[in-house]
Amino acid sequence: ETKNGIKFWLIEDKSLPLVSMSFSFKGGSILDPIGKDGVTNLMTSLLDEGTQNFTASEYRLFKRENGIKISFSTSKERIEGSFQVVKPRLQEGFYLLHESISKAKFPIAEIKKVKSQIEASIKIDNSNISTLASNKFNEFFFKDKLIGRNTKGNLKTLSTISRDNILSIYQNSFIKDRLVVGISGDIDSSLAQKYVDYVFGDLPSKKFTNPISTLNELSKGKEVIKMKTPQTTVVFGQKGLGRKDKEYFAARIINYVLGGGGFQSRLYKEIREANGLVYSIYSYLMPYEYAGVIIGGFQTRNENVDTTIEKVKSEWKRIKSEGITKTELQNAKTYYKGSFSRNFTSTLSIASLLMIVQYYDLGEDYFNKRDLIIDDLQLIEINNLAKKLFDSETLFFMIVGEPKI
């Protein structure tokens, strides 16, 4: 903990002269004011486009000359930052990061430039059937329009965002109480404390309540958007669990068996292998802090849309009524225990993991406890959860293309 009361986790690793930091501020695009959708994403896209002491080009040059990597991104629930610097340039690296977080200037010319880049990317999204289907799914599935909005906003809302709107969201996003930090690399704790305080110590404090606490209102059934294309894209989903839910890991196991395990999953085996209806099909859990959804998707020929949807529903019903088998449970446990080690491949991935474990309050003992949590999962409790959680009647299908339904 720093002098200014900022808690962070650190793993010291002297194997390479590198320091990496991953941090996030709770909030994100859910806090965009109504009619200003995309303002948080626009603000984070401008953090390296000019600060008190650097123009946009000077900032990029300083970054390159000193071996510094800084990036920011916005999601529905948080703003994330990632930072990496070579050990001999620690001071320069943290100085530049401090500029972005506390001294961004948002010059009018850069706002225009970045707006037009985001507008171009929205147009590309709208012409890409997979991205369009995903965005339309969010729009129709979440009856709470705040959650259903696109993080990038849309062409209409972007055009109404002023510099004052950007400054206001900047001042209200970087709040000390919402900050979570993970650091990994060649730095000791006293130096890390000094630099964390230097970058974040002067930020204001303000109590925060996560607006995404429940997802009561979700659509079910089907919605079709006509688009001329030989294949129809379908995104589907239902209510899931939040990452803090004690049954979250059990839900991950069930989903691995159903649609998260690639070639091993039931959806793939039944719909791709046995019936040749799709090239690929998947499902995954999308957790927020306290609530979540289960999402899936596939592409199929226009004439096969109905058949494929019925097959998805029948696999949903099967997992609900029959659950998973002992062998499937064992395979899923082996996969999750083995895949965790991929998080330890670099200082940046370790820093990111330290941030995520704190973000969801998984506990300091999570790294030792994780395998035990997985080992302790019993077939009976998993299948009880499958019965309770999966419900084909509540599935919502967003269909984009020319389906012959």
Side-chain angles (χ1 to χ4, degrees), residues 66 198 295 297 324:
N66 291 287
Y198 170 64
I295 308 268
I324 68 172

Side-chain angles (χ1 to χ4, degrees), residues 302-315:
N302 294 333
E303 61 270 21
N304 291 336
V305 173
D306 228 16
T307 316
T308 311
I309 285 174
E310 288 313 311
K311 293 266 180 218
V312 169
K313 284 182 173 175
S314 68
E315 285 305 319

Side-chain angles (χ1 to χ4, degrees), residues 241 247 250-251 254 381-390:
L241 297 178
E247 293 188 294
I254 303 164
E381 62 177 301
I382 290 216
N383 288 340
N384 282 340
L385 178 62
K387 229 180 227 78
K388 187 173 74 180
L389 183 61
F390 288 80

Side-chain angles (χ1 to χ4, degrees), residues 19-26 44-45 47 59 69-75 78-84 94 97 100-101 174 178-183 199-200 347-356 359:
V19 175
S20 297
M21 178 164 75
S22 180
F23 56 92
S24 71
F25 290 88
K26 295 185 180 189
T44 55
S45 305
L47 292 173
Y59 184 101
K69 289 180 184 170
I70 298 176
S71 66
F72 295 92
S73 63
T74 296
S75 65
R78 61 180 180 258
I79 290 170
E80 273 192 39
S82 115
F83 165 81
Q84 190 174 60
F94 281 105
L97 182 62
S100 280
I101 285 175
F174 294 126
R178 305 186 201 166
L179 174 66
V180 183
V181 183
I183 303 174
V199 174
F200 304 112
T347 55
L348 204 49
S349 58
I350 292 168
S352 177
L353 185 66
L354 292 175
M355 184 273 286
I356 288 290
Y359 183 91

